[in-house]
Amino acid sequence: MLQPETSGTPRQSAAWSRRRFVRNTAVGSATVVGASALGAQASSANAPAGSSPASSASSDGTAYQIDPAYAHPVIDTTEDLTSPVPHRRVTGHFEGAGQKFTLSFPPKRQWRGRFFHKVYPSITETPSDTAIAFGVASGAYTVQCASNGGFAADAATALFSRKVAAEYYGTTRRIYGYIYGGSGGSYQTMGALENTTGVWDGGVPFIVGGPTSIPNNFHVRMMAYYVLRAKADRIADALRPGGSGDPYAALDEAERVALKEVTRMGVPARAWDDPGHVMGLDNRVILTNFNFMAKTFDPTYADDFWNAPG
């Protein structure tokens, strides 16, 4: 459940919108144009008064205890940037753990008392241009931590970010925070919220993963490419408005079996409205790159499939 905010409505940005952020999550880089003294001033040792380095009190009086491995955040650099939008970038790490993080703060006039925290299984500590601009357009600073520390590192980063933000913005008011992530990040979002109290005020898991996501969903779509690509447009026509509604009508027996298997493995029939996406025609790499996962999960699967009983 989302905690109600008391701050104002987030501003919109003409150049960077929420829709563009959803469409584009490619990792970008920022251009350094200057530096400030925040890096020399802010650290876990001199964080703003009134907040403990070891816990975060929630509205119901309980607290989340920071994992000792992430109890000592250190700020490495502080830079004022103009790309993709004006913001202050603070980079740091957790002493002894090697875990890195980045905090991206909008100008003071644009901040509305909140932060957004993106998670993903293979994410680095460097947020994309779109994530930063999305935050600024929404009156939020952006939090990102390298993914190899799990929710404990994310939680410690989020809590430390509040201290740095309180000093930078000169505020003692509550700072609201929201965690979000798609695909594998949806699991991380839910896991972070389930295992903490008072760290984030809400979260948005999107494109939620399922038990057949990796590698089955991707590999069954590869099978669709090999077996059904010649009939893909006819399947799509049958399922689109005005079509017959029967995607199997134009298929032979082997193709019907293949389509049923693809559907049962989690590819919804309506997805065939874009057959190129289903079969990876617009991006073959996204399907074929999961081959190594199958070999990692079950190295003898191919031999067992052809030789082992059952």
Side-chain angles (χ1 to χ4, degrees):
M1 179 179 293
L2 298 180
Q3 295 284 347
E5 292 188 12
T6 56
S7 54
T9 302
R11 292 184 177 180
Q12 301 294 326
S13 167
W16 293 87
S17 68
R18 292 171 179 79
R19 289 183 179 177
R20 174 178 289 186
F21 171 75
V22 173
R23 290 197 304 267
N24 180 11
T25 57
V27 175
S29 60
T31 303
V32 178
V33 296
S36 74
L38 180 60
Q41 297 173 350
S43 69
S44 58
N46 58 15
S51 57
S52 166
S55 66
S56 174
S58 68
S59 58
D60 61 5
T62 60
Y64 170 75
Q65 297 297 318
I66 292 178
D67 188 311
Y70 307 109
H72 302 289
V74 176
I75 287 179
D76 297 322
T77 66
T78 302
E79 301 162 319
D80 290 322
L81 311 178
T82 58
S83 177
V85 290
H87 69 284
R88 174 165 291 188
R89 181 175 68 183
V90 176
T91 67
H93 70 280
F94 291 99
E95 186 176 350
Q99 194 78 20
K100 296 181 179 181
F101 58 83
T102 301
L103 312 176
S104 306
F105 297 101
K108 295 179 181 180
R109 67 183 184 279
Q110 292 179 266
W111 188 57
R112 292 295 178 268
R114 59 179 72 95
F115 71 83
F116 292 161
H117 189 160
K118 183 180 180 181
V119 291
Y120 188 73
S122 60
I123 208 168
T124 70
E125 73 278 7
T126 304
S128 68
D129 284 358
T130 48
I132 295 170
F134 170 60
V136 172
S138 303
Y141 67 84
T142 298
V143 176
Q144 190 159 309
C145 179
S147 62
N148 54 312
F151 79 86
D154 283 322
T157 303
L159 294 177
F160 181 61
S161 80
R162 283 191 170 100
K163 300 171 187 176
V164 180
E167 179 173 321
Y168 176 53
Y169 292 115
T171 183
T172 58
R173 297 181 66 181
R174 172 173 174 75
I175 298 173
Y176 291 85
Y178 307 97
I179 186 171
Y180 69 99
S183 190
S186 68
Y187 284 124
Q188 291 177 281
T189 298
M190 292 183 282
L193 293 174
E194 289 172 354
N195 286 281
T196 63
T197 302
V199 179
W200 298 280
D201 298 284
V204 180
F206 60 94
I207 317 176
V208 178
T212 64
S213 294
I214 300 176
N216 298 347
N217 176 277
F218 297 91
H219 286 174
V220 81
R221 288 164 62 193
M222 291 175 65
M223 185 190 74
Y225 168 77
Y226 289 116
V227 179
L228 299 171
R229 66 181 185 272
K231 301 285 184 68
D233 289 337
R234 299 176 73 174
I235 294 172
D237 287 341
L239 293 170
R240 287 170 179 159
S244 68
D246 182 6
Y248 299 96
L251 309 183
D252 61 28
E253 182 60 25
E255 291 165 343
R256 283 193 290 272
V257 171
L259 181 56
K260 287 179 180 179
E261 184 169 359
V262 171
T263 304
R264 289 170 179 169
M265 288 294 286
V267 179
R270 293 184 66 179
W272 285 93
D273 185 62
D274 186 358
H277 176 72
V278 171
M279 298 182 294
L281 299 181
D282 49 356
N283 188 351
R284 296 292 296 155
V285 174
I286 197 172
L287 300 188
T288 57
N289 268 4
F290 284 91
N291 286 339
F292 79 95
M293 288 191 175
K295 294 177 181 179
T296 301
F297 296 157
D298 193 348
T300 65
Y301 175 80
D303 291 336
D304 293 344
F305 181 85
W306 294 110
N307 300 308

